[in-house]
Amino acid sequence: MFETRALDGALAAVREAHAPDALVLGTERDFETLDPAVAEELGLLVDGLDPVSFPDEWLPADVPDPLAQYAGSDFTVGLPGDGGVTWTRQTDPPVVFVKPRLATSPDAFVDFLLAEALVEVGLDLPESFLVFFGERYRELATAVPLDPAGVYQLAAALYVAYCGLHTREVFADWDGDFPDLFDAWVDAGQRLEPRLGDLSTEVARGQTEFPAAAELACSAIKHAVDDRIEIPAPFAALETSAYAQTGSEYAVEWARKTFEQLDR
């Protein structure tokens, strides 16, 4: 099920600088929840396993099944939509997983995702949007007029923006030291940029649902350094040091005020 993925060159240097104890594993199949036999196999590769669960009070009464499962007692790593690279601190040492869905992706893109995960581990960022919001996830759901799937999508986007505010400064400094990783980071941002120009108008006209627009804009925040990318309103208000410092409290208040403005 798991195979140690050797790192060399820039990725080895990134791990050494940011998460020297992290284990990088390729996986035989895509997964979020690990059944006991698979968890036992993972346990042979690490020093310890400590699966976490989260209080029922954190969640509204009606949430998508994957989120309820993630919050429960099953050993779950990541959530649907997290992509082909996920990581966890439910193991000792932390583990970064590379899933087979990336088998056809360009090597440069996979390396970028791996580098990003190693930086996130090293920065001690929250492992998921549920960890990020905690008990404020229920507050977010109350603050916005969205169905459970919409709240889920918005929360995931806000978490991406928060992480990006921390990781992007690291990537921006890699131009000289790790040019291939830097170029992949820039390229990922440039691919998003053409879709941002009309995003505010599309939301206002109902052409793009708000959670989908948030997903796009918040992904772009990960790359918006030194005026490389202009983040459209109302998402530009997330590109602030205040959000980087205060996290979920800021996110909930931003969501509340944003929807109050949209309703006028």
Side-chain angles (χ1 to χ4, degrees):
M1 176 63 185
F2 304 104
E3 182 177 355
T4 301
R5 187 180 179 107
L7 302 183
D8 55 18
L11 284 176
V14 169
R15 178 169 61 181
E16 181 62 28
H18 295 278
D21 60 339
L23 182 64
V24 179
L25 299 177
T27 68
E28 192 175 89
R29 61 177 178 82
D30 293 317
F31 68 90
E32 277 87 33
T33 298
L34 284 73
D35 62 44
V38 176
E40 183 176 342
E41 183 180 341
L42 177 61
L44 297 175
L45 300 173
V46 296
D47 296 330
L49 294 175
D50 187 19
V52 297
S53 58
F54 303 100
D56 292 340
E57 293 77 16
W58 285 12
L59 299 179
D62 189 11
V63 297
D65 289 342
L67 186 56
Q69 186 174 47
Y70 180 83
S73 59
D74 291 338
F75 188 10
T76 306
V77 177
L79 286 157
D82 281 352
V85 174
T86 56
W87 56 268
T88 186
R89 293 194 197 89
Q90 298 175 74
T91 58
D92 180 21
V95 176
V96 178
F97 297 99
V98 184
K99 298 181 181 180
R101 70 184 69 170
L102 290 174
T104 59
S105 299
D107 290 343
F109 179 64
V110 177
D111 286 352
F112 160 66
L113 294 179
L114 259 173
E116 183 178 47
L118 290 166
V119 170
E120 289 175 349
V121 171
L123 290 172
D124 202 28
L125 292 172
E127 188 169 323
S128 70
F129 72 78
L130 184 57
V131 178
F132 172 62
F133 280 98
E135 62 186 10
R136 290 195 177 98
Y137 188 80
R138 186 186 288 264
E139 292 180 37
L140 179 69
T142 302
V144 298
L146 298 172
D147 64 16
V151 176
Y152 179 111
Q153 188 177 10
L154 176 60
L158 291 169
Y159 164 72
V160 165
Y162 174 80
C163 292
L165 289 172
H166 294 273
T167 60
R168 69 183 192 174
E169 299 296 339
V170 177
F171 275 95
D173 288 338
W174 284 358
D175 190 8
D177 294 333
F178 309 123
D180 290 342
L181 292 175
F182 176 83
D183 289 346
W185 171 72
V186 171
D187 179 68
Q190 289 175 337
R191 291 175 184 272
L192 293 169
E193 191 171 10
R195 303 170 61 190
L196 298 174
D198 297 325
L199 196 60
S200 299
T201 301
E202 291 175 9
V203 171
R205 292 176 175 174
Q207 296 170 325
T208 299
E209 295 293 331
F210 191 90
E215 189 175 84
L216 178 59
C218 289
S219 293
I221 286 174
K222 296 196 300 181
H223 309 273
V225 178
D226 298 332
D227 298 324
R228 283 190 177 91
I229 299 174
E230 183 176 351
I231 306 300
F235 308 103
L238 296 169
E239 195 192 1
T240 66
S241 59
Y243 187 29
Q245 292 166 7
T246 60
S248 60
E249 179 181 359
Y250 185 101
V252 172
E253 187 61 22
W254 170 84
R256 180 181 292 112
K257 290 181 176 177
T258 295
F259 276 94
E260 286 175 356
Q261 291 292 327
L262 291 174
D263 287 342
R264 290 180 182 175

